[in-house]
Amino acid sequence: MVWSAYMGLPLSLAAVGRVLGLEEQKMTEGKALIRYFSTPPFHEPTGAKWELFKSYNRRDVEVEMAIQRRLSKYPVPPSVWEEYVLDQEINDRGIRLDMLLVENAVQIDVRTKEKLTDRLKNLTGLENPNSVVQMKAWLKVQGFETESLDKKSVKALLTTVQCPISDVLMLRQQLAKSSVKKYQAMQNTICSDGRARGMFQFYGANRTGRFSGRHIQLQNLPQNHLADLEYARSLVRQGNFAALELLYESVPDVLSQLIRTAFIPKGGRKFIVADFSAIEARVLSWLAKERWRMDVFADDGDIYCATAGRMFHCNVVKHGENGHLRQK
């Protein structure tokens, strides 16, 4: 699959076989047979199913060999294989998690959502205030229509409404906060030694070769700006919901900002966070010798506005003139 990824092909054997139009394709019976023979309760390796299972495994090897022959003219450079070895080392080593923090964060989030839901029900009379359809209908009755209830739309609405509608929207923002789901992902991926593994997909972005995040998505973690981060962390580790609710305006926001602190280095070590700004766009601009794009970066400009402006032949300003074109 490394070879396929390097060539910009799909990351599954079946999909690569289809794309390359191989004469021998991966057998579709595989998943059911693997469940039957390789997961509890295990079945005896006999009978027609066992013969089919052996054929399935042989076919996999045949398809892999056919892919190898088809791609033989385009060998993977040694440097890419070295990157793959590094990827495997990182994924096998994993990252240690503070499961006391994680477990308590999940429980606190459940309690918070219950209280937020009750408050929203009292304010709106809705059966399910987390429902986009119901909330949009309620807003329409109040005299406000919106196409979406995403973060950007709610932020815009908050500039035009007053209480109690503003209270409802702010409460719903807290209720809809999804970043705390990362704690649940930690619960699902933790190994018996307290480490989470398999966090990266080699060549997941196969146009550029960048690793992609998997499971917890370590490449997409909320930032933290709490002045008393360590104290907030201690309250969550204690499971002190009452103190969190008393001291902080938004408990979901606190939980979100504490996500990074769930990853803990071993004794005597610390994590160093490096976040490159628009790294792919910068490097690709340099490789393609797109001088105007490099100039935008050099002048600390907005590459999305600049690109949209050239695409649509107009001036584009973030949150301003033709701002909607920026995301195109």
Side-chain angles (χ1 to χ4, degrees):
M1 288 299 98
V2 173
W3 206 339
S4 297
Y6 175 71
M7 296 299 298
L9 294 169
L11 295 177
S12 75
L13 196 61
V16 174
R18 287 194 298 270
V19 169
L20 294 180
L22 300 179
E23 184 176 344
E24 297 290 344
Q25 295 286 333
K26 182 179 175 69
M27 293 170 59
T28 58
E29 301 90 342
K31 287 185 178 180
L33 291 168
I34 290 172
R35 284 195 298 269
Y36 188 80
F37 287 110
S38 303
T39 62
F42 301 104
H43 294 82
E44 289 296 321
T46 58
K49 278 191 174 182
W50 179 247
E51 293 303 316
L52 185 60
F53 192 36
K54 290 193 291 184
S55 297
Y56 161 76
N57 283 282
R58 279 194 296 268
R59 176 65 63 81
D60 267 12
V61 176
E62 291 167 356
V63 173
E64 289 170 351
M65 292 173 66
I67 293 172
Q68 183 184 37
R69 288 192 295 271
R70 186 66 65 86
L71 301 182
S72 60
K73 294 182 180 179
Y74 313 99
V76 178
S79 60
V80 174
W81 285 117
E82 290 172 5
E83 289 176 11
Y84 176 65
V85 171
L86 174 63
D87 164 84
Q88 295 299 287
E89 289 176 351
I90 292 171
N91 276 322
D92 290 347
R93 182 185 303 119
I95 185 168
R96 195 156 64 108
L97 297 175
D98 183 344
M99 289 309 292
L100 178 60
L101 175 75
V102 171
E103 299 292 351
N104 282 336
V106 171
Q107 293 303 315
I108 289 169
D109 182 56
V110 170
R111 292 183 63 181
T112 302
K113 280 183 165 53
E114 288 175 351
K115 296 195 73 170
L116 289 173
T117 300
D118 288 342
R119 288 178 64 186
L120 279 170
K121 284 181 177 180
N122 291 333
L123 285 170
T124 63
L126 295 176
E127 182 180 348
N128 178 15
N130 201 33
S131 164
V132 173
V133 174
Q134 291 185 34
M135 183 58 69
K136 285 169 68 174
W138 182 83
L139 286 170
K140 186 175 182 179
V141 171
Q142 310 307 312
F144 297 93
E145 292 194 50
T146 179
E147 290 294 321
S148 171
L149 284 175
D150 60 18
K151 187 176 180 180
K152 183 179 178 181
S153 299
V154 171
K155 185 177 180 180
L157 270 175
L158 284 170
T159 63
T160 62
V161 299
Q162 297 178 338
C163 288
I165 298 173
S166 59
D167 290 342
V168 168
L169 290 174
M170 286 189 288
L171 288 171
R172 194 186 181 284
Q173 273 188 319
Q174 294 184 49
L175 188 62
K177 202 165 189 65
S178 61
S179 55
V180 291
K181 290 182 179 178
K182 289 187 181 292
Y183 290 114
Q184 296 170 335
M186 293 175 194
Q187 288 179 315
N188 294 334
T189 55
I190 189 71
C191 298
S192 58
D193 62 352
R195 303 179 78 86
R197 293 179 169 83
M199 295 294 106
F200 298 103
Q201 171 66 58
F202 182 72
Y203 249 80
N206 60 10
R207 295 295 186 273
T208 61
R210 175 176 52 78
F211 293 9
S212 294
R214 291 292 182 266
H215 308 302
I216 302 173
Q217 300 286 343
L218 294 177
Q219 293 167 317
N220 182 27
L221 299 175
Q223 296 183 4
N224 44 39
H225 304 286
L226 285 173
D228 55 350
L229 188 70
E230 191 57 42
Y231 182 64
R233 188 176 191 277
S234 68
L235 291 178
V236 173
R237 294 188 89 248
Q238 295 165 19
N240 196 336
F241 176 73
L244 287 165
E245 197 174 37
L246 177 67
L247 296 173
Y248 299 97
E249 183 177 349
S250 170
V251 175
D253 183 59
V254 172
L255 295 179
S256 176
Q257 294 199 48
L258 289 176
I259 287 173
R260 288 175 183 251
T261 73
F263 305 102
I264 48 178
K266 63 182 181 181
R269 304 292 178 89
K270 62 181 179 180
F271 290 131
I272 303 295
V273 178
D275 188 0
F276 296 103
S277 176
I279 186 62
E280 286 188 355
R282 292 174 189 268
V283 173
L284 288 173
S285 298
W286 179 78
L287 289 172
K289 297 181 173 58
E290 287 279 1
R291 171 53 59 185
W292 72 269
R293 290 175 64 88
M294 289 188 275
D295 290 341
V296 171
F297 286 121
D299 295 335
D300 200 26
D302 188 317
I303 191 62
Y304 301 104
C305 287
T307 303
R310 290 176 71 100
M311 287 172 61
F312 299 105
H313 308 290
C314 63
N315 189 43
V316 178
V317 179
K318 185 177 181 180
H319 304 314
E321 183 183 4
N322 298 315
H324 65 286
L325 296 176
R326 184 177 182 271
Q327 63 189 24
K328 299 291 185 180

